[in-house]
Amino acid sequence: MRDVAELAGVSYQTVSRVINRRPHVAAATRQRVLEAMQKLHYRRNLLARALVTRRSGTVGIIGCESSLFGPISMLFAIESAARAAGYSVSVASARHLDRRSVLDAVDRLCQQSVEGIITIAPKTAMSDALTEAPPTVACVTVGGGSSDAVPSTRIDNVAGARLASRHLIELGHRTVHHVAGPDDWPEAGERLRGWRETLQDAGRPIPPAMSGSWSARAGYEQGGRLAADPCVTAVFCASDQLALGVLRALHEAGRRVPEDVSVVGFDGVLDSAHYLPPLTTVRQDFAELGRLSLGLLLSQLDPAGGPPTPRRQLLVPELVIRRSTARPRHRE
């Protein structure tokens, strides 16, 4: 840092202010310091900084070993938000969605002196496990498995399911069939609940829900059963992958979308705009979810840094209407 200060013609303290993004540094001075850092290939010594400040500048993320769109998108969103806030990120995977795997991941991250931990928790057992984390480590959970035990941010899955189901009812469909996610995933249960409550409130028949996995294959299998029933005119799927399988099953059965059957998904995967037809879906704003979760964690690390942050934060998703939904050909 002293070499940088000498080359830039400024004080050591000015270099420190630039590195730590402090205010009250003239733009021209800041630029000279940055150019000197680049010329000298200066890199911060994070270990030395941690010894002085007793802060590592690193947050930990516990993810699950999954290829599902939701958990992966949450991981990238949290990492991006942390990087934008000037934090480094260390990621630990929980091989199984259970207490033991989470606590093992917490232990690995604590050995790296992370300041706090954000856990992507699709199952409640994962967030409950954080109550056994060391009390010196701030923790936040993200996802449908969040519980009251730990501060959390999550998508309002019930509200999202209501948006999808209400859209189909308002188009004129007599009822809406539901292809649900796995029975043991809280997110699937919340979407099921939102669908059922919407039909109930509208005084519509509630068909039996079909559940399985989150995969397109499961959607294809359930879609084949729906396609065989001529009374089915509207289907709400708990994920876009499930909807993809349903679309294929309907196509193979000669049921046109949306002329014969309207289909809505949930997630807002980027590819859903290129399904055939483009899929109406409930889009989750994962970037905002990442910012909210990091903000909740930082409010614990620095309680005096601003106004109190609610321990529970629900983010309402958005209905994106495309060409997979329409009024039924014959109003019922």
Side-chain angles (χ1 to χ4, degrees), residues 16 22 54 78 114 125 135 137 161 187 200 208 215 242 246 258 286 321:
S16 177
R22 299 285 188 266
R54 297 188 181 277
I78 296 166
V114 298
V137 180
E187 289 177 339
Q200 205 165 31
S215 69
L242 286 168
V246 168
F286 289 108
I321 299 175

Side-chain angles (χ1 to χ4, degrees), residues 204-274:
R204 303 301 175 89
I206 303 176
M210 299 176 162
S211 62
S213 69
W214 293 111
S215 69
R217 175 182 290 276
Y220 177 72
E221 292 170 353
Q222 304 291 16
R225 298 182 178 91
L226 292 170
D229 183 352
C231 294
V232 173
T233 67
V235 181
F236 164 49
C237 301
S239 76
D240 289 349
Q241 282 294 100
L242 286 168
L244 179 61
V246 168
L247 288 175
R248 179 183 171 185
L250 291 170
H251 172 74
E252 291 183 356
R255 304 289 302 278
R256 295 172 300 166
V257 177
E259 292 86 354
D260 300 321
V261 183
S262 289
V263 179
V264 179
F266 200 116
D267 279 335
V269 303
L270 296 178
D271 290 344
S272 63
H274 304 285

Side-chain angles (χ1 to χ4, degrees), residues 1 11-22 33:
M1 286 177 64
S11 68
Y12 176 91
Q13 290 80 4
T14 298
V15 174
S16 177
R17 284 196 291 272
V18 171
I19 290 172
N20 291 291
R21 302 179 185 181
R22 299 285 188 266
V33 171

Side-chain angles (χ1 to χ4, degrees), residues 153-213:
T153 60
R154 59 194 300 186
I155 296 291
D156 191 337
N157 290 289
V158 174
R162 283 182 168 274
L163 286 172
S165 305
R166 192 179 303 122
H167 169 63
L168 291 166
I169 290 173
E170 289 174 350
L171 284 173
H173 295 277
R174 177 171 173 268
T175 190
V176 179
H177 290 72
H178 183 45
V179 178
D183 293 333
D184 59 345
W185 281 60
E187 289 177 339
E190 291 166 1
R191 294 170 195 180
L192 176 71
R193 187 178 120 209
W195 161 77
R196 182 176 287 129
E197 288 177 352
T198 303
L199 293 182
Q200 205 165 31
D201 293 346
R204 303 301 175 89
I206 303 176
M210 299 176 162
S211 62
S213 69

Side-chain angles (χ1 to χ4, degrees), residues 6 23 25 37 112 145:
E6 183 178 350
V25 178
M37 290 168 61
Q112 299 174 47

